[in-house]
Amino acid sequence: MNQTVLIADDHPLFRQALALAVGRVLPEARIIEAGTLASAARAVSDSADLRLILLDLKMPGATGYSGIALLHAEAPTVPILVVSSADGSAAAEEARAFGAIGFLRKDSDLGAIEAAIAGAISGAVRAAAPRAAEPVESVRATVAGLTPTQLKVLLAVLEGQLNKQIAHSLGMSEATVKAHMTAIMRKLDVRNRTQAALVARSLGLDLHH
């Protein structure tokens, strides 16, 4: 059975290290490398046999945890293992809240990385289920439920782009952008763009880690 693993990191040497770890766990796997979030998203949408995504939080095009949210929306059934230099258990919890199944620090040794990859592939690593009773967890789950296009529109709003700019950068009409914004505001239960941006910002979507 063909198996594809996506390694999304903007440092070529670190991609090589991760590719080595993947090769030892899954010798037959086809490895795709991506250096930006945009190329990672394209690879996810183009790969029918994707088994695992190894993702760095600090990639070009990613803000905060937006990379996890975007790739999780593109492929909800593919496990995402975050490998990042972000510090502490809080970052690990946030990563899981946005759809990652595990979190590894970049200074982990090769054995730990191999074990995490093996666990992710076998399904042994599972993210804690969001506790919907907590408002923040509930909203995180809602953000994770946005479509990839809706996430791109929301991230553009966070950057302060106007509908006209968003339409140009995403290759769609202004009317389509407005329709996406309406859907986003309905999902987030807010009344305007500013509130939508505040909700996203409160969840760490625009934090630079």
Side-chain angles (χ1 to χ4, degrees):
M1 183 178 79
N2 288 332
Q3 296 181 115
T4 301
V5 175
L6 170 64
I7 298 174
D9 191 294
D10 60 333
H11 294 96
L13 282 175
F14 196 72
R15 289 203 302 267
Q16 283 180 19
L18 288 177
L20 177 65
V22 170
R24 287 163 73 157
V25 177
L26 289 170
E28 306 300 318
R30 180 171 72 101
I31 294 173
I32 302 175
E33 296 185 15
T36 65
L37 184 56
S39 58
R42 275 197 304 275
V44 170
S45 62
D46 291 346
S47 304
D49 57 351
L50 203 56
R51 280 294 306 279
L52 177 66
I53 298 168
L54 296 171
L55 175 69
D56 178 21
L57 291 179
K58 293 183 177 177
M59 294 190 53
T63 358
Y65 300 92
S66 64
I68 305 171
L70 182 61
L71 298 187
H72 182 61
E74 289 275 8
T77 61
V78 179
I80 298 173
L81 188 58
V82 171
V83 188
S84 176
S85 53
D87 216 357
S89 59
E93 285 179 26
E94 293 282 357
R96 288 188 177 93
F98 283 103
I101 62 153
F103 181 95
L104 266 177
R105 283 185 51 83
K106 277 196 168 183
D107 55 10
S108 303
D109 62 41
L110 196 57
I113 293 174
E114 287 174 22
I117 290 169
I121 290 291
S122 68
V125 186
R126 281 281 172 258
R131 291 158 291 185
E134 296 182 26
V136 173
E137 295 289 353
S138 172
V139 179
R140 276 199 190 108
T142 304
V143 169
L146 296 175
T147 68
T149 304
Q150 287 168 354
L151 270 166
K152 287 172 188 169
V153 170
L154 180 57
L155 289 168
V157 169
L158 273 175
E159 290 169 4
Q161 291 187 34
L162 303 173
N163 283 357
K164 187 175 184 178
Q165 294 169 298
I166 298 171
H168 182 261
S169 63
L170 295 181
M172 58 179 69
S173 69
E174 280 190 66
T176 304
V177 173
K178 286 177 185 172
H180 282 308
M181 271 313 301
T182 302
I184 290 165
M185 290 189 292
R186 192 181 301 122
K187 283 185 179 181
L188 295 181
D189 195 24
V190 296
R191 288 185 296 279
N192 57 46
R193 292 164 67 99
T194 306
Q195 288 179 337
L198 284 172
V199 168
R201 191 165 285 124
S202 73
L203 296 178
L205 274 187
D206 71 332
L207 294 179
H208 291 277
H209 285 285

